Amino acid sequence: MYCYRNVTEDLFWVGGNDRRLALFENIHPLYHGVSYNAYVLLDEKTVLIDTVDWAIGRQFVENVTAVLGGRPLDYLLINHVEPDHAAAIEEILLRWPKVKLITTPKAVILLNQFGFAIEPEQIEEVREGDTRCFGKHTVTFIEAPMVHWPEAMVTFDLTNGALFSADAFGSFRSLDGKLFADEFDFDREWIDDARRYYTNIVGKYGVPVQALLKKAAGIVNDIKFICPLHGPVWRKDFGYLLDKYQHWSTYEPEETGVMIVYASMYGGTERTAEVLAAKLAERGVLNTRMYDVSSTHVSYLISDLFKYSHLVLASVTYNLGIFPPMHNFLADMKALNLQNRTCAIIENGSWAIRSGTLMREELEKLKHMEVLDESVTLASSLRTQNLTDLDALADALAASVKKEG
Amino acid sequence: MNFQTTQAHEELRAKVRAFAEAEIKPQAFLMDKENIFPREAVKKMGEMGLMGIPYDAKYGGAGLDVLSYAIAVEELARVDGGTGVILSAHTSLGTFPIAQFGTEEQKQKYLIDLCTGKKIGAFGLTEPNAGSDAGGTETIAEDKGDHYLLNGNKIFITNGGEADTYVVFAVTTPGIGTRGISAFIVERGWEGFTFGEHYDKMGIRSSATCELIFNDVKVPKENLLGKEGQGFKIAMATLDGGRIGIAAQALGIAQGAYEAAVEQAKERIQFGRPIAVHQGVSFKIADMATKLRNARFLVYSAAELKQAHEPYGMESAMAKMYASDIALEVTNDALQIFGGSGFLKGMEVERFYRDAKITTIYEGTNEIQRVVIGSYILGKAAKDSAPAPVAKRGGETGERKKVIFKDGTAEEKVAALVEALKKEGFDFTVGIDMLTPITQAERVVSMGKGIGEQKNVALIEALAKAAGAALGSSRPVAETLKYVPIDRYVGMSGQKFRGNLYIACGISGALQHLKGIKDASYIVAINNDPNAKIFKNCDYGIVGDILEIAPLLTAALDTGEKKPAGEMVKMKRVVPKAKPAPRKLAVCLGCGFEYDPAKGDPDAEVKPGTAFRELPEGWVCPHCGEGKDKYIEITV
């Protein structure tokens, strides 16, 4: 049975939800599923805009067939060929063999690499600024290289103001019957998933995202719908969404607050992190979050780090180096281009304590990271003689938080 | 070809030698002993036309050849190595860049006075972190529209303090290595341009050598020498020629020592005969003479090549390297021939022996000369792992707060300082013994030469007592003035201060001293010179007379008998970090790769320091193969 929804006149959402997938991209855990969005435009010509992951292929085909209502499919417009959106292309080609593909030259190369059997005469390559008219609706194309793949583009319907934004403005989480962001309490239910999606998938590419936002600035007043490939469709509150993207893509924290991430083997470092958090609370710093790096998936740590202004890393020394899960967190920060945070360091070890020095080195490789001079070195556990240093660290963090807040 | 100088050359030699023997030689011992710069003699050299020998008569020069200049340096050095280098640094380093790269206006304004000896020239390239590697230059000239703002320090500058004009090298474009360096003509007396203390050198003590300190010095746009970014080229071209001067100086020193040794060998009787008849001595003299002849041909040949506008970079390097290497050997052998008497102060050979050493070091160490010669023969080795320019953090003592109290009355300044220190958590009701070893002291009050007479030591002792601190001093106060025992001096060699509070009274901030206090949690400076380097290396400072400030500060900190301080708790210093200078990167829209000019693209043989815009034609992204047009330049 089909399950589509009407976006606006002539435009239909034909995607679906996947709640069985454990790891998105086989790396990021999902607890509330994910939606794969695709859209059909019914004009004088019929246009399918992107496809879906093969996991929901059957639902997708039923939706497309139902919306077309017996009409042939004239065009398949592909904004992004990552297989969570392109996997169902093959099925579309089998069912509607006369369909023409509209996409970028680079997307064609990638489609061939992925092994889709596409005839060259089936393809219409488009570039930035090109337009296509399907009858009532005329669309234009804006290249969006490295948001977050090189072939990506976004498509703007000049007639109804719908922006098909590919992975930009997407989010984890299944739609569960709803479609529009204003059908949820987005800021309560969704923002954390949206942030975790953006920061881990697109986080590295702040510069290309900024470049796309600048290009889109020219049409921003004409945008009526933002139709991403994951998550809800936006038809209002664009300012809220764009503000989040502005922060994330310029690596500006959303909130002044302290994130404490500890790596502890036998509890010594963990207890120190607890004491620090308490000391911060006593100093009026209440917007704090604490995570055990060993039991928290790094995608959550990255996501929160894009949100908060301050980071405390507390790690035991392991094999003369940084505790591996902590090292992995630092490596991910570097991979995702994280920058512009104020950091503090607590190091521990029962002999040859090195993790602090090494973590500082890793942080200083990132851009615009301020590492506070105050730091705490523990030998195995927190003892009375360390309290002066811990207090100094709490004071420095509190002062820094106050300054930024 | 008969390898002979001309009659004119020999007439010039005779003239300079007569001058040197009459005017310099009688003073040489005293000048060496007392570090005296021969101002009168230099003035006379100007009048004799020696200060602009190889330059155009149109600009007041003598219009003679480079060889004549080399002979003049040689002859001066033959009696006094220091006077030799005064002429060499003036002519080759201070004057040449203006003569070669200056505009007509610059030549009119500066060159004429230099060539006629009305003014003395100097050259400022070397820095604490830029010796053989000029790429480490940290002195910076910021473009402020109608002028450049010059900040930084130059060390070991010959004629420093005595010279009137200085050709100074500074970074105008940071982050791109030597191609970001430019040259400027800077005049003595400009606001913010001061000199460090004269170095107490091993040799060439009649020449003046000191540090140049630039503190917000406004350099007019018209004093840029050559174009922006040409500084390194100008410096290297200058040093090529400068080597001839230093080679001639080494040659002269060796010649002087050799002549003294020959005379001694003939006069000194042992076993009933002059020692010269002994083969042990005569062989030495034969070797010395051979080496001198060798060196002389190398020096003169390099001078001739330069005069003829032939390539001479390799030959001048050979001349400098060889002449200075043999100067050490010849002066050593000469002293050996003198035996014990040569080991005594007052003997020329003793002075020559010390004077010679510098010639293997300056104007490019002899190791660098070998690098130069090797690269002429074998080509330049590709830099395979050139380090990225290091972002410097703070001064010699690291990042410091640099809160300087300079306005208001002395009382107000002292009150502000005391309040700041108490706010940092210092408790002046406790104290340590004044004689606590420097390395174990929690606090030190330290005195420099700025305190003046010995009777003022009492003021500093009183301050140390009031501050609950141990007593310390700069090196000259302990070593030269002997105001305090030698173990009170704070400096590099085993006498580092690692405690919480260091109060520097009348200390200017010599490099060695600063290195000795860089682990101090807080540094307080009191000095009447607002440009003193210590102020760039302190957390709090008072600009004022220590004799006035010390009693006030003593009164403010005095709490009577101090309670004994417990075990030292090291205070961690909190300093606002300087934001790193913005730098440019370029991001590939084909794959997200960031091109970093500091790293270059080694696989494509693009050297570190290559700006994105300067990447060669046809360069493509090393990871995805997109062209330069697919990159966005960003500033981070």
Side-chain angles (χ1 to χ4, degrees), chain A residues 96-111:
Chain A
W96 292 279
K98 287 184 182 158
V99 69
K100 295 257 194 223
L101 267 56
I102 299 176
T103 193
T104 63
K106 218 167 209 173
V108 175
I109 296 170
L110 294 188
L111 285 169

Side-chain angles (χ1 to χ4, degrees), chain B residues 361-549:
Chain B
I361 298 171
Y362 63 10
E363 303 238 7
T365 62
N366 281 10
E367 291 70 28
I368 288 293
Q369 304 303 336
R370 284 167 170 87
V371 170
V372 170
I373 296 164
S375 72
Y376 272 101
I377 299 165
L378 303 166
K380 282 202 178 107
K383 280 190 185 171
D384 46 2
S385 58
V390 201
K392 202 189 164 192
R393 294 180 59 171
E396 280 73 13
T397 58
E399 282 290 343
R400 293 282 165 183
K401 291 187 173 174
K402 288 177 276 206
V403 176
I404 314 292
F405 306 109
K406 53 186 167 191
D407 302 320
T409 65
E411 286 80 5
E412 286 164 358
K413 290 188 274 191
V414 167
L417 172 66
V418 171
E419 197 196 321
L421 289 178
K422 288 192 174 157
K423 218 170 169 183
E424 296 288 5
F426 285 103
D427 175 5
F428 291 104
T429 64
V430 300
I432 56 170
D433 190 283
M434 212 192 293
L435 294 178
T436 309
I438 298 293
T439 50
Q440 291 159 31
E442 194 258 342
R443 293 171 202 168
V444 164
V445 168
S446 199
M447 64 189 110
K449 278 161 75 180
I451 66 156
E453 296 171 55
Q454 183 155 19
K455 66 175 165 78
N456 300 329
V457 171
L459 290 178
I460 307 302
E461 282 175 348
L463 176 57
K465 193 153 180 289
L471 193 66
S473 82
S474 72
R475 183 172 171 165
V477 165
E479 206 173 72
T480 318
L481 299 175
K482 300 190 172 63
Y483 287 179
V484 290
I486 199 85
D487 66 358
R488 288 287 113 198
Y489 111 63
V490 181
M492 260 245 290
S493 28
Q495 289 279 81
K496 283 192 177 179
F497 173 67
R498 294 195 177 80
N500 290 330
L501 179 61
Y502 190 80
I503 303 182
C505 305
I507 289 175
S508 59
L511 184 62
Q512 300 301 309
H513 193 82
L514 296 175
K515 284 188 176 167
I517 57 173
K518 71 175 164 55
D519 294 329
S521 302
Y522 291 89
I523 298 172
V524 172
I526 305 165
N527 202 304
N528 57 6
D529 175 8
N531 294 327
K533 204 165 162 186
I534 190 81
F535 285 122
K536 290 193 170 161
N537 286 280
C538 72
D539 296 284
Y540 296 100
I542 290 181
V543 179
D545 184 352
I546 184 64
L547 302 184
E548 187 189 359
I549 301 295

Side-chain angles (χ1 to χ4, degrees), chain A residues 106 145 367-368 371 374-375, chain B residues 572 574 577 589 594 626 636:
Chain A
K106 218 167 209 173
K367 299 182 187 96
H368 303 301
V371 186
E374 288 79 1
S375 63
Chain B
K572 289 200 171 140
V574 187
K577 299 243 172 42
L589 288 182
E594 281 180 2
E626 287 286 3
V636 294

